[in-house]
Structure formats: C-alpha cells, structure tokens
C-alpha cells in the first residue's frame, strides 16, 4: 500500500493542519485513535503524535490509515499575509502516512482459505475495487497535508 513521507521546515499553522486531517478522516467516517506527546525544550517545543483511522467497510474488508506527526523546534511567530498579521508556528517536521487494507479481518475462515479465496476467485474484484480506491484516498490525504502546509499553489 502507499506510504508517504512529507518533510518541511518553515512557518505553518499547526491548528489548521491538525483540524484539516481530522476533518478528512471524519468526513470518510473513520474511527479515530490518537496517542500524543509534547515536550518543551531549549530551542522550542516538540510535538509528536500517532493517529490511526480504521474503517470497517464490510464484514470482510477493513481500511486503515496511520499518520505519524513529528514536529520539532516549534516557536510561535507572527507573519504578515496579505497585509494582515497572523499567528503561526515555525518549525521542522516529518509526517508519515501509511495506508493498509485487511481482508478477512474478522477471521471467519482460516488464513489459508482467505488467501486461496482472494487469489483464485475474487482477486480482480477486491484489488480493483478496494485497494485502488484506498490508494487514491491516501494520495488525497497527502495532497491535503501539502496544501495545508502551503506546499502547493492554490
């Protein structure tokens, strides 16, 4: 499945970034889990969190998206945008996005039968419908994060 890593350095809006990603997951009805760590240090503060979204599509198909945020040396700064002052954050960070699909996640059948079933009978149906769709969904999330970090032209 797709895996993205976005690295950045400079000013950004942390609140808008987190709200945008959360809204993306909520709009697609993912169940949301979060682990959170934050530390103050000498150069600024450090923000680290793991987000996990799970969507049980059917009794047989489950989609997962894992997002890891590590943002370091965060400082609050004021930036003039279009003649108006905005309070933003400045720092360096890494965002990892990973997508996964589980077939047979409720384990109705033994593992060997699930693999046999997917390989010989429904390979095209499941891979074409679920895997491709999830791949594009993860691509859209990565594009949204780049847009929220002002990497892309609006």
């Amino acid at each position: 499945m797709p895996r993205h890593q976005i690295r950045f350095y400079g000013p950004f809006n942390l609140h808008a970034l987190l709200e945008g990603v959360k809204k993306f997951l909520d709009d697609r009805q993912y169940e949301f889990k979060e682990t959170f760590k934050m530390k103050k240090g000498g150069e600024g503060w450090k923000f680290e969190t793991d987000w996990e979204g799970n969507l049980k599509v059917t009794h047989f198909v489950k989609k997962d998206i894992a997002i890891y945020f590590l943002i370091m040396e965060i400082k609050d700064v004021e930036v003039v945008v279009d003649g108006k002052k905005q309070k933003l954050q400045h720092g360096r960070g890494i965002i990892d996005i990973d997508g996964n699909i589980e077939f047979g996640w409720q384990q109705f059948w033994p593992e060997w039968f699930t693999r046999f079933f997917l390989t010989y009978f429904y390979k095209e149906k499941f891979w074409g419908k679920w895997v491709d769709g999830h791949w594009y969904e993860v691509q859209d999330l990565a594009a949204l994060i780049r847009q929220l970090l002002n990497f892309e032209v609006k």
Side-chain angles (χ1 to χ4, degrees):
M1 282 304 300
R3 184 176 185 97
H4 293 276
Q5 187 175 71
I6 301 169
R7 295 173 179 251
F8 61 94
Y9 177 76
F12 60 96
N13 188 340
L14 181 61
H15 180 72
L17 175 66
L18 298 177
E19 285 293 319
V21 174
K22 177 79 167 86
K23 184 177 180 327
F24 180 90
L25 295 174
D26 287 343
D27 289 347
R28 286 159 178 80
Q29 300 174 345
Y30 277 85
E31 293 177 17
F32 178 75
K33 297 177 194 164
E34 174 183 27
T35 58
F36 175 74
K37 299 175 200 162
M38 189 168 70
K39 278 199 278 193
K40 283 203 172 212
E43 290 292 317
W45 47 285
K46 178 181 175 183
F47 174 83
E48 184 175 5
T49 185
D50 278 313
W51 285 9
E52 190 175 310
N54 300 315
L55 179 62
K56 296 168 184 150
V57 182
T58 67
H59 68 280
F60 191 70
V61 178
K62 183 171 99 169
K63 299 192 294 187
D64 300 324
I65 294 180
I67 308 160
Y68 172 71
F69 296 92
L70 173 61
I71 307 171
M72 302 165 286
E73 303 170 9
I74 302 173
K75 297 178 187 175
D76 291 327
V77 294
E78 284 191 8
V79 179
V80 178
V81 178
D82 297 329
K84 295 180 183 176
K85 284 187 179 181
Q86 286 186 346
K87 203 169 194 184
L88 300 176
Q89 289 73 38
H90 187 279
R92 110 180 32 251
I94 299 171
I95 301 173
D96 283 325
I97 308 163
D98 194 13
N100 189 27
I101 287 210
E102 291 182 53
F103 295 117
W105 63 277
Q106 287 187 337
Q107 299 175 347
F108 286 128
W109 305 311
E111 173 100 15
W112 66 268
F113 185 74
T114 303
R115 269 186 277 139
F116 174 77
F117 179 74
L118 287 174
T119 304
Y120 294 105
F121 294 107
Y122 285 100
K123 181 177 182 178
E124 293 300 319
K125 179 179 179 184
F126 283 107
W127 284 91
K129 183 174 182 179
W130 300 114
V131 176
D132 289 348
H134 191 51
W135 187 83
Y136 284 114
E137 199 169 54
V138 173
Q139 294 288 335
D140 291 343
L141 177 60
L144 173 70
I145 290 173
R146 286 187 189 98
Q147 181 183 11
L148 291 170
L149 290 170
N150 295 322
F151 280 8
E152 296 182 357
V153 178
K154 296 178 183 177

